[in-house]
Amino acid sequence: MSLIDKLDHNRLPAHIAIIMDGNGRWAKTRGLDRSAGHREGVEAIRRVVEAASAASIQYLTLYAFSTENWHRPMDEVSGLMDLMVYALTRETARLKKNGVRIVVIGDLDRLPDNVRKILQDCIQETAGGKNLTLVIALSYSSKWELTQAVKKISDDIESGILHKEDICEETFSNYLTTRNLPDPDLLIRTGGEQRISNFLLWQSAYAEFYFTETFWPDFNDEELYKAILDYQKRERRFGKISEQIEPEQ
Ligand code: FPP
């Protein structure tokens, strides 16, 4: 029996965000190049996107490449860029057929032209997807995102579009790359480390965290459902006390 049958469909996280970690170590334990780990990582992405769709998850955000990842050796960076082009070219038709809409967040100006182009095509092709929104965080970091939000806010104040008195949490959220997305309910990190690595710092204010030792290339549908079941055992109080929480139907 699959763990999907054990999920409480009335208490699903609307948005799951994942820090996909452990590709390099997965490869190393097998005596392979790091690039082999990244290639297997793409297969894990395919499995997890299908598993999330099957469980009616509405938003899935994957941390594919951080601002800090630009500092990796040049051949690893270019290998990852090529892999993204390959994976997106191969998967766009299937994503579209399965009602998956692609959204990309991050500093896209830093990406090579061919990656930007394939992303634009994929975003356009899948724009009508109604089942799952797959958000790819690429050349993304929260500190970059928060800094560019502050710059845009200053520009808008200077040009009179925005007034300082009108700035509230909601206004601020609207200057982030995630402006049209709900905050993540569940944040998963694979690969054994327990840190957030500059990912969705503002948006994860009340996310539930789930850490697993499993390396990303080994992550699969059952691992995803295990994380959701763990999430469903938790009481989300959002700063209130237990007695104030409405029992969910
Ligand atoms: C982390 O493992 C993984 C990455 C930095 C890259 C993840 C990207 C992909 C799997 C390709 C994404 C493709 C698309 C189309 C979204 P690591 O290299 O940090 O592993 P380590 O900690 O074991 O060294």
Side-chain angles (χ1 to χ4, degrees):
M1 180 171 135
S2 164
L3 290 178
I4 195 171
D5 300 318
K6 295 199 170 166
L7 300 180
D8 175 350
H9 288 270
N10 296 316
R11 293 195 60 206
L12 287 172
H15 185 173
I16 300 179
I18 308 185
I19 302 176
M20 309 180 287
D21 196 16
N23 292 353
R25 280 165 289 157
W26 180 93
K28 198 170 174 188
T29 55
R30 286 163 177 76
L32 302 169
D33 281 354
R34 296 178 58 81
S35 58
H38 295 317
R39 280 198 301 279
E40 255 335 279
V42 171
E43 298 310 312
I45 291 177
R46 161 131 41 94
R47 287 194 297 272
V48 169
V49 169
E50 283 174 11
S53 281
S56 306
I57 301 301
Q58 294 169 50
Y59 296 86
L60 176 67
T61 297
L62 301 177
Y63 202 8
F65 193 86
S66 72
T67 306
E68 290 74 22
N69 288 154
W70 287 115
H71 301 301
R72 289 198 176 189
M74 235 164 63
D75 62 336
E76 180 163 346
V77 171
S78 61
L80 273 167
M81 294 296 143
D82 291 347
L83 184 60
M84 283 185 219
V85 172
Y86 166 76
L88 290 166
T89 311
R90 192 186 68 174
E91 299 295 334
T92 299
R94 190 203 305 252
L95 292 168
K96 185 176 178 179
K97 181 168 154 271
N98 293 332
V100 179
R101 174 174 73 112
I102 296 285
V103 168
V104 182
I105 57 170
D107 186 2
L108 306 188
D109 291 342
R110 290 185 74 174
L111 294 172
D113 289 346
N114 65 330
V115 179
R116 253 203 321 270
K117 167 84 176 70
I118 186 83
L119 285 169
Q120 275 158 5
D121 292 349
C122 190
I123 291 166
Q124 218 171 344
E125 274 292 300
T126 62
K130 298 266 184 287
N131 293 339
L132 170 75
T133 297
L134 174 60
V135 184
I136 305 175
L138 202 46
S139 186
Y140 172 89
S141 77
S142 272
K143 288 188 176 181
W144 162 79
E145 179 183 46
L146 294 167
T147 309
Q148 61 90 35
V150 172
K151 282 185 189 159
K152 280 194 207 156
I153 288 173
S154 318
D155 286 347
D156 285 354
I157 290 177
E158 215 171 88
S159 56
I161 296 172
L162 182 70
H163 302 286
K164 189 176 138 195
E165 313 72 62
D166 296 333
I167 298 178
C168 60
E169 290 179 11
E170 201 188 335
T171 331
F172 191 81
S173 293
N174 284 333
Y175 280 83
L176 299 175
T177 59
T178 49
R179 69 188 67 83
N180 297 316
L181 306 168
D183 286 346
D185 302 294
L186 170 62
L187 193 149
I188 299 172
R189 181 174 187 139
T190 65
E193 312 288 356
Q194 303 199 354
R195 55 176 171 257
I196 191 162
S197 297
N198 217 346
F199 186 46
L200 302 177
L201 299 180
W202 169 278
Q203 299 87 340
S204 296
Y206 273 102
E208 295 293 329
F209 285 54
Y210 179 88
F211 298 105
T212 168
E213 294 290 323
T214 305
F215 292 144
W216 176 250
D218 289 328
F219 202 78
N220 59 20
D221 47 355
E222 293 300 292
E223 294 268 347
L224 180 75
Y225 301 146
K226 209 160 100 183
I228 299 175
L229 282 169
D230 193 88
Y231 164 90
Q232 291 186 329
K233 282 195 255 146
R234 304 185 193 183
E235 181 185 61
R236 302 188 76 195
R237 293 195 293 279
F238 298 97
K240 297 181 184 169
I241 64 166
S242 267
E243 289 70 19
Q244 293 174 295
I245 309 296
E246 291 275 323
E248 288 180 66
Q249 295 307 307

